[in-house]
Amino acid sequence: MTSTPLAGPTTSVDRRRLIASLIRDIPDFPQQGVGFKDITPLLGDAAGFRATIDELVAAAPADIDVVVGMEARGFIVGAPVAIALGAGFVPVRKPGKLPAETYEVSYDLEYGTETLTIHTDAIRPGSRVLVVDDVLATGGTLAATAGLIHRLGAELVHVAVLMELAFLHPRTMLAGAGLGETEITALVTIDDA
């Protein structure tokens, strides 16, 4: 069975417009006062999903060894990016989900705390790593993941996210966490809640 190329936007600007149009707001989820950016309409639209992967791949620098995606939506967008780049994929998961020995880190979220884990042998030292995720909100998840990557002796060379919630000022937090020089690409930037 051969796949048929999807018809869709042909320019980066048009792809990013399509992507933005397929993200919906869900008020008060997962708790009162939080405005959730829902990407399920985007994932359910073949042209929109393809545009997302194409744009994330285009953002990647050359010679990526490993793509890292965080649970759970980072898996959805990170794995196809890894395939397109000819790179491996490494999941960063919540505690108790990875079967071998792990490193873990806890961090603060916009609305609570979380812990992430990675296998201690998931990435070879010196590997060039691209982190792919759906959203850059406060920067806590990315900073925690970067800490795990560095603990494995790998080099975080780029971050590509579907959307950045700029009104939460994540880049300020990331600079304070030592990631100010890390290049970050956001396909969609949301400036207000």
Side-chain angles (χ1 to χ4, degrees):
M1 175 185 221
T2 49
S3 62
T4 304
L6 297 173
T10 57
T11 70
S12 181
V13 170
D14 289 340
R15 284 190 293 271
R16 290 183 185 212
R17 279 189 192 126
L18 174 62
I19 291 164
S21 75
L22 293 168
I23 299 169
R24 70 177 166 194
D25 291 319
I26 306 292
D28 301 321
F29 183 84
Q31 68 184 39
Q32 187 72 26
V34 175
F36 187 79
K37 302 297 183 188
D38 182 18
I39 65 168
T40 57
L42 173 64
L43 299 175
D45 183 277
F49 190 32
R50 175 61 176 263
T52 301
I53 301 309
D54 288 348
E55 286 296 299
L56 291 169
V57 168
D63 302 321
I64 293 298
D65 299 308
V66 175
V67 174
V68 168
M70 293 82 89
E71 188 162 334
R73 291 172 301 195
F75 299 172
I76 296 168
V77 293
V81 168
I83 290 168
L85 294 174
F89 178 77
V90 172
V92 171
R93 303 219 50 197
K94 293 178 182 172
K97 301 291 186 179
L98 293 172
E101 184 179 352
T102 61
Y103 292 130
E104 74 175 43
V105 63
S106 295
Y107 62 99
D108 292 325
L109 287 169
E110 179 183 359
Y111 45 84
T113 52
E114 188 60 79
T115 300
L116 292 176
T117 65
I118 193 169
H119 278 139
T120 58
D121 61 354
I123 304 172
R124 288 188 196 105
S127 294
R128 290 173 49 83
V129 177
L130 167 68
V131 170
V132 176
D133 204 6
D134 68 318
V135 65
L136 176 57
T138 63
T141 302
L142 176 55
T145 300
L148 291 170
I149 291 166
H150 291 138
R151 187 167 182 186
L152 293 171
E155 180 187 2
L156 174 56
V157 295
H158 195 91
V159 175
V161 295
L162 172 55
M163 73 186 117
E164 176 179 352
L165 306 183
F167 62 91
L168 294 175
H169 309 289
R171 293 182 193 235
T172 302
M173 185 276 197
L174 293 172
L179 294 172
E181 299 300 314
T182 302
E183 189 171 348
I184 300 170
T185 299
L187 304 185
V188 175
T189 301
I190 300 169
D191 293 317
D192 57 5

